Amino acid sequence: MINLFYMEGLPVAVMGLGKSGLATAEALTQSGADVWVWDDNESSRADALSKGYKVVDLTTADLTELTTIVWSPGIPHTHPKPHPVALRARAANIELVCDIELLARSERDSAYIGITGTNGKSTTTTLIGHVMEAAGRRIAVGGNLGTPALTFPSVGAGGSYVLEMSSYQLELTYSITFDVAVLLNITPDHLARHGGMDGYVAAKKLIFHRQTKPRTAVIGVDDPICRAIWEELKAKGDQVIWPVSALGPVPGGVYAADGWLVDDTFGAAERVAELAAFPALLGTHNWQNAAAAFAACKAAGVPTPAIVAAMTTFPGLAHRQQLVRTIDGVRFVNDSKATNADATEKALATFDPIYWILGGQAKETGLDGLEAYAPRVRHAFLIGEASDRFAVWLEANKVPHTRCGTLDVAVNAAAELALAEALPGACVLLSPACASWDQFANFEKRGEAFADAVNRLEGNAVPGDRA
């Protein structure tokens, strides 16, 4: 656990008592701070009280003693409507920071590798961590990926923190200048939280905050927004800039072309590995992840042969195109982490034919942009709140579908049809294009429920009410 020595004796509040909030409260307590905690959820407050924390209602308490509130990034502090505590804090000149900011203030001698993007950042973060560890580097990996930053060990000088950074976290982290900063892609997501697309893009660009040479920016250039950011940074020339692409050659960068991963960072356009050698990195989207991870690790000083060797042993990311089981030639793939259409597109582009399980709590963009993949879908199985809305899209795109309601029913119905039709290459794919919160606590729980249902299959399936 990180020692927040500079907080000793100081009053500091923690707003939001999820996984990272509780870890923050524990680290602050162990460091001798006077810790106040608050959560709008009564059961979360009761749990904190049972653990011995000082529960203080930040919506009414006198905040003048505080200089800092460690803010859960999931709680709105600006858009679409700021939480009352955020308004009170700003009126009292109290800073709002996230736990990663406290890590940065404590571990000043360590190196930092930051990864952001709308999609692919968890896979890329995990892959970078896998390579760095295999190369014998002293590292800790986490952040938005799931491991709270303040539970990390101290890696000290010569060590590196590999951090997945959400747009929410970037807005609340001020002290890190990333030695290697990776921006994979930007497509519409979380727009309400950022006041629109401009605010979302501005938050993502914070990954490059204060970078100067020899620090390195790694930028995916396969979408127009990131390509424009690449051009902007090139024009300024403040840091080393390596573009990456899954779609073909890009001068001075790392890219996928003709089935190969190619390194042109020093102008040699060297083929470093066949992409087929990376079994956990299937599909064009994963080629971008592979190129970005290669570039990031090279920028961090890992030799090319070590990077390639480690990437061939990468096991993949749980809940991201994770093969759960194959039954009579039918693959059952858990892509629960695909919480928007853009993420789901990556899976739809990878498999064919598909028995698609989708639905949950829909994002603003719904299924927009997936029309070209409708012919790959043999049958769709709808779950959760989005069923009515998504059924309209499926009908418009001539995709047969079943309203299943719950995930267990969908798995059984999809398995029954896929096994009966026995088509070559068939895949039962959970790729919901939705948040999980209507039926599950998080996408991990949804993915675990899918895997459990698949592992219970013994040839008996529950038919759905097909539309």
Side-chain angles (χ1 to χ4, degrees):
M1 181 164 283
I2 298 298
N3 182 6
L4 305 173
F5 56 89
Y6 55 90
M7 303 296 286
E8 184 176 1
L10 298 177
V12 57
V14 177
M15 177 67 188
L17 295 172
K19 194 174 180 181
S20 64
L22 287 172
T24 300
E26 175 64 16
L28 287 165
T29 300
Q30 293 296 326
S31 302
D34 177 16
V35 185
W36 306 0
V37 303
W38 182 252
D39 194 293
D40 291 335
N41 183 280
E42 185 177 351
S43 65
S44 297
R45 298 195 300 267
D47 180 58
L49 198 61
S50 71
K51 290 179 168 67
Y53 294 117
K54 184 195 296 184
V55 177
V56 177
D57 186 348
L58 300 179
T59 65
T60 59
D62 181 0
L63 305 182
T64 54
E65 290 183 57
L66 299 174
T67 58
T68 302
I69 297 178
V70 186
W71 194 264
S72 169
I75 301 173
H77 58 93
T78 53
H79 303 286
K81 181 181 179 181
H83 191 283
V85 173
L87 293 175
R88 297 189 78 221
R90 291 197 171 105
N93 232 6
I94 298 167
E95 65 173 358
L96 302 183
V97 301
C98 72
D99 58 337
I100 293 172
E101 173 64 16
L102 299 189
L103 170 71
R105 294 178 184 182
S106 180
E107 299 292 304
R108 295 181 181 273
D109 295 331
S110 304
Y112 289 87
I113 301 173
I115 302 93
T116 197
T118 305
N119 295 299
K121 55 187 178 291
S122 294
T123 298
T124 303
T125 302
T126 307
L127 178 56
I128 291 170
H130 177 79
V131 172
M132 296 281 283
E133 184 176 37
R137 300 299 185 90
R138 190 168 63 254
I139 63 163
V141 183
N144 190 61
L145 185 62
T147 303
L150 297 181
T151 65
F152 290 158
S154 174
V155 299
S160 300
Y161 292 104
V162 182
L163 301 173
E164 178 185 326
M165 299 293 294
S166 71
S167 54
Y168 303 164
Q169 289 168 322
L170 285 167
E171 288 186 324
L172 296 168
T173 303
Y174 310 105
S175 296
I176 294 179
T177 302
F178 286 104
D179 298 277
V180 182
V182 179
L183 172 61
L184 294 166
N185 47 64
I186 297 179
T187 55
D189 200 15
H190 307 303
L191 300 189
R193 271 294 304 270
H194 295 286
M197 194 65 186
D198 288 347
Y200 181 53
V201 172
K204 289 297 190 187
K205 286 170 65 175
L206 291 171
I207 196 81
F208 305 120
H209 179 58
R210 293 190 311 216
Q211 272 198 317
T212 54
K213 294 176 181 177
R215 296 183 177 94
T216 302
V218 175
I219 310 176
V221 295
D222 292 338
D223 66 87
I225 295 172
C226 285
R227 182 172 282 272
I229 294 170
W230 172 50
E231 297 285 359
E232 177 188 334
L233 293 184
K234 272 201 307 179
K236 291 180 179 177
D238 291 336
Q239 67 271 80
V240 177
I241 304 167
W242 287 349
V244 298
S245 175
L247 303 180
V250 56
V254 180
Y255 55 87
D258 302 321
W260 285 82
L261 185 66
V262 181
D263 177 10
D264 191 44
T265 53
F266 296 142
E270 177 189 3
R271 288 182 168 186
V272 295
E274 287 190 272
L275 291 160
F278 309 143
L281 297 168
L282 300 174
T284 304
H285 64 291
N286 272 322
W287 298 350
Q288 185 190 54
N289 297 337
F294 180 94
C297 293
K298 181 174 180 176
V302 181
T304 292
I307 299 173
V308 172
M311 287 172 65
T312 62
T313 65
F314 179 57
L317 188 68
H319 312 295
R320 195 71 181 101
Q321 292 188 28
Q322 177 187 22
L323 179 64
V324 175
R325 190 178 174 194
T326 300
I327 303 174
D328 295 336
V330 176
R331 291 172 291 179
F332 290 79
V333 174
N334 168 21
D335 195 40
S336 182
K337 200 174 190 303
T339 59
N340 58 45
D342 195 61
T344 289
E345 179 184 12
K346 309 305 187 293
L348 296 181
T350 302
F351 304 102
D352 186 13
I354 298 167
Y355 299 80
W356 183 19
I357 300 174
L358 72 160
Q361 196 172 89
K363 298 289 182 72
E364 298 97 327
T365 52
L367 298 177
D368 292 350
L370 300 182
E371 291 79 8
Y373 302 97
R376 291 173 173 251
V377 181
R378 185 75 179 173
H379 200 97
F381 303 84
L382 291 161
I383 63 173
E385 285 180 9
S387 292
D388 289 345
R389 177 180 174 185
F390 283 6
V392 173
W393 187 95
L394 293 166
E395 288 163 6
N397 288 278
K398 299 180 172 55
V399 178
H401 55 278
T402 300
R403 295 172 186 262
C404 295
T406 59
L407 184 55
D408 56 338
V409 174
V411 169
N412 288 338
E416 179 190 41
L417 186 59
L419 291 167
E421 294 188 338
L423 297 174
C427 176
V428 173
L429 173 68
L430 171 67
S431 191
C434 280
S436 59
W437 302 314
D438 58 334
Q439 294 183 335
F440 299 94
N442 49 51
F443 73 82
E444 293 97 338
K445 294 296 183 185
R446 179 170 61 191
E448 290 165 7
F450 173 78
D452 288 345
V454 169
N455 287 324
R456 287 196 300 268
L457 290 172
E458 296 178 357
N460 297 317
V462 179
D465 179 23
R466 291 181 190 158

